[in-house]
Amino acid sequence: MEAAPVAHLGYDQVLSILRLLPAEAVVSFAATCRAFRDWASTDVLWEALCRRDWGARAATAAAVALAERQCRLPWRRLYAEVARLGALSARRLRVKGLSPRPRASHSLNLVAGWLVVFGGGCEGVRSPS
């Protein structure tokens, strides 16, 4: 059985191609064989995907926040955690005609190995206008 044409490419060439793909396609590529799994699991690749999908400022902020907490979280796991958070939805709740005043303060924290967003709570309530 002859090797797939992609197996004849060098690591840098494959990395350049993987950087253009959606994250789901990179995960599928990694599932094909051990060598491809190793190539598709590098921090270099996943950091590039994070920067591409979230923007450089957000990826840098996440890296700085994790470094300040002396937490070594691989970029692939960070991407997966943020993607999982992206699948969540939130709703504004009303309680007997009152609603919480919105805030713009949120914090991204690592808690027991999970990436969690805190914030957006209420500081008092106001009557509906």
Side-chain angles (χ1 to χ4, degrees):
M1 183 170 169
E2 192 174 325
V6 72
H8 298 294
L9 296 174
Y11 170 73
D12 290 335
Q13 294 166 319
V14 173
L15 186 64
S16 294
I17 294 167
L18 292 175
R19 286 180 177 183
L20 300 173
L21 298 175
E24 296 82 10
V26 174
V27 171
S28 295
F29 177 81
T32 58
C33 73
R34 286 184 193 142
F36 293 168
R37 182 189 65 219
D38 292 344
W39 285 0
S41 299
T42 64
D43 260 5
V44 171
L45 171 62
W46 285 95
E47 180 179 359
L49 294 178
C50 290
R51 290 183 182 284
R52 178 196 71 195
D53 293 350
W54 308 338
R57 284 182 65 188
T60 300
V64 168
L66 291 171
E68 287 174 355
R69 291 172 177 76
Q70 298 178 347
C71 176
R72 179 69 188 120
L73 187 67
W75 282 98
R76 182 177 180 172
R77 176 140 180 241
L78 179 63
Y79 191 101
E81 294 294 329
V82 171
R84 193 173 301 143
L85 288 173
L88 299 176
S89 64
R91 292 185 222 178
R92 188 172 199 184
L93 301 176
R94 294 195 178 272
V95 180
K96 296 184 183 179
L98 301 176
S99 64
R101 184 173 31 169
R103 294 186 325 182
S105 60
H106 292 82
S107 173
L108 190 60
N109 297 286
L110 191 68
V111 178
W114 289 86
L115 196 58
V116 180
V117 175
F118 291 101
C122 63
E123 295 175 330
V125 293
R126 60 187 162 116
S127 300
S129 356

